[in-house]
Amino acid sequence: MNLPDSKQPDSKQLDSNRPDDDRWLERAKALLDDSAGNLDAATLSRLNRARQAALATRRKGPSRWAWSAALAGAAAAVFAIAIGLHHQGGVPLGNPPPTLQAGDIDVMTSEDDLDLAENLDFYAWLGKQPAGGPSG
Amino acid sequence: MAAAICLMAAFDESRRELGAGDESRSLDAFLRGVERRALRMAELATGSRDEALDLVQDAMFGFVRHYGGHDGAEWPPLFWRVLDSRLNDWHRRQKVRGRWSFRPDDKDTDEDPIALAPDAREPGPLARMADGEATVALDAALRGLPLRQRQAFLLRIWEGLDVAATSVAMRCSEGSVKTHLSRALANLRRALEAHR
């Protein structure tokens, strides 16, 4: 029995051991096709629900989680950049090193991350200003 | 820089989400195309439409979860592989529960070569039956096959997978696929001829 590889083999391509295999296998395929094509409405409805439920698991995906994580990361990064730029601008030696204030914690953990992300330009600009505050 | 990377990741995620819409439509079309045959295959294996529906649903979930992101050209053998796995699990559970009914095993039988000799005048075992009768006979003959032989027959002959794809679906060698199919054809022929 040597079956050739092909994408859609029909029974003629099967090196079967009977000369009439072609005919009855074609009939068998047709009967199976009919049985699959004549399923009742209730069964088809259940199949449809099963398919939609399976697809829904893929649609959900991690997008909401990914956005939240990205925004939280962005907020933390902006603070880190702002602090770094502040140091580069030159902090008087006499001043105590900047520490994370309770207010900063509130900002970082608040639900206003979205606003923070939307104002990234502002915070970047703010970080570039001299320690004494923005002029003009 | 870190902020930019985070925002790019989020943007990339949203782009991926847009692409996932197309992918979902492709998956939907693919599953719609195979679900009826999958149900019949499971029904032949379990003898129960309810159990078959549960198995097909389970197979759809598993397929979408594990292989939904694969290239569409790879989906057919992978879907049948998931369903085949579910059918094997179902049979194993039945065996454990002691509800395993006797089926002819996969071992070679001492076949009479004269009885198996081809008869060129014979139109085939299903030729003389009306459609309704032939459907019942074919169902009974397929249910009488061992699981692996039935799967080889249905995947290879009905679903039209080639030997390599069938071996992927059944997680066995190509040689085993050919052996299972050869035995399935012989057993089916014998069962259908007896039914006549």
Side-chain angles (χ1 to χ4, degrees):
Chain A
M1 187 97 177
N2 183 23
L3 303 177
D5 285 351
S6 76
K7 192 65 186 170
Q8 292 291 328
D10 57 33
S11 55
K12 289 175 185 173
Q13 292 172 293
L14 293 171
D15 185 16
S16 52
N17 49 7
R18 293 272 192 156
D20 59 328
D21 270 351
D22 292 348
R23 275 183 289 182
W24 80 266
L25 288 179
E26 283 302 322
R27 180 99 193 273
K29 282 167 61 178
L31 291 170
L32 287 167
D33 283 339
D34 284 348
S35 71
N38 293 328
L39 294 173
D40 59 274
T43 301
L44 292 177
S45 172
R46 284 185 66 182
L47 276 176
N48 186 50
R49 284 202 303 274
R51 187 177 70 251
Q52 295 305 327
L55 291 170
T57 62
R58 184 152 188 83
R59 287 195 199 102
K60 281 178 188 169
S63 58
R64 189 181 296 263
W65 175 88
W67 270 109
S68 303
L71 287 174
V78 165
F79 272 102
I81 290 169
I83 290 170
L85 289 174
H86 184 72
H87 274 287
Q88 278 183 349
V91 179
L93 288 173
N95 288 357
T99 56
L100 206 57
Q101 302 296 317
D104 297 336
I105 301 283
D106 289 342
V107 171
M108 289 177 72
T109 57
S110 77
E111 294 180 354
D112 298 333
D113 285 345
L114 195 61
D115 294 336
L116 188 66
E118 286 173 352
N119 294 315
L120 286 178
D121 290 342
F122 166 74
Y123 287 110
W125 169 82
L126 188 63
K128 287 177 185 169
Q129 300 311 305
S135 61
Chain B
M1 178 60 83
I5 290 172
C6 287
L7 287 175
M8 280 174 67
F11 178 66
D12 190 44
E13 180 67 27
S14 74
R15 284 185 62 189
R16 210 175 301 140
E17 198 172 306
L18 288 174
D22 292 338
E23 190 179 270
S24 284
R25 278 189 289 278
S26 300
L27 269 173
D28 182 57
F30 169 74
L31 290 175
R32 193 187 293 265
V34 296
E35 65 191 12
R36 294 182 183 209
R37 295 194 298 283
L39 178 69
R40 287 290 291 129
M41 198 177 284
E43 200 173 26
L44 286 166
T46 62
S48 157
R49 178 152 292 182
D50 281 339
E51 299 241 35
L53 278 163
D54 287 345
L55 286 172
V56 170
Q57 173 165 347
D58 200 23
M60 284 178 172
F61 272 86
F63 169 74
V64 169
R65 186 166 55 244
H66 296 296
Y67 301 117
H70 281 234
D71 188 84
E74 299 173 9
W75 285 344
L78 293 174
F79 174 77
W80 296 115
R81 181 188 179 97
V82 175
L83 181 62
D84 187 71
S85 171
R86 299 297 186 275
L87 295 178
N88 276 304
D89 290 346
W90 185 88
H91 269 259
R92 240 177 263 127
R93 285 198 302 273
Q94 297 304 304
K95 202 172 183 178
V96 169
R97 288 174 191 166
R99 286 197 274 145
W100 184 253
S101 58
F102 173 77
R103 293 178 188 275
D105 60 24
D106 277 350
K107 291 176 186 170
D108 283 326
T109 53
D110 294 329
E111 292 166 334
D112 178 3
I114 297 174
L116 292 175
D119 180 355
R121 296 167 302 176
E122 177 55 53
L126 289 169
R128 296 198 180 113
M129 293 185 220
D131 275 356
E133 185 190 4
T135 299
V136 171
L138 182 62
D139 263 35
L142 284 169
R143 282 178 183 162
L145 289 179
L147 177 64
R148 305 297 280 164
Q149 289 184 25
R150 182 172 50 246
Q151 287 299 99
F153 177 85
L154 292 174
L155 292 171
R156 187 85 178 89
I157 303 295
W158 190 26
E159 190 56 30
L161 297 185
D162 61 27
V163 176
T166 307
S167 73
V168 169
M170 293 180 65
R171 286 162 298 167
C172 64
S173 68
E174 294 185 16
S176 294
V177 170
K178 293 174 184 177
T179 302
H180 287 313
L181 179 60
S182 173
R183 290 174 181 167
L185 291 174
N187 284 332
L188 279 177
R189 169 180 284 281
R190 195 179 304 121
L192 291 171
E193 283 174 344
H195 194 276
R196 222 167 23 195

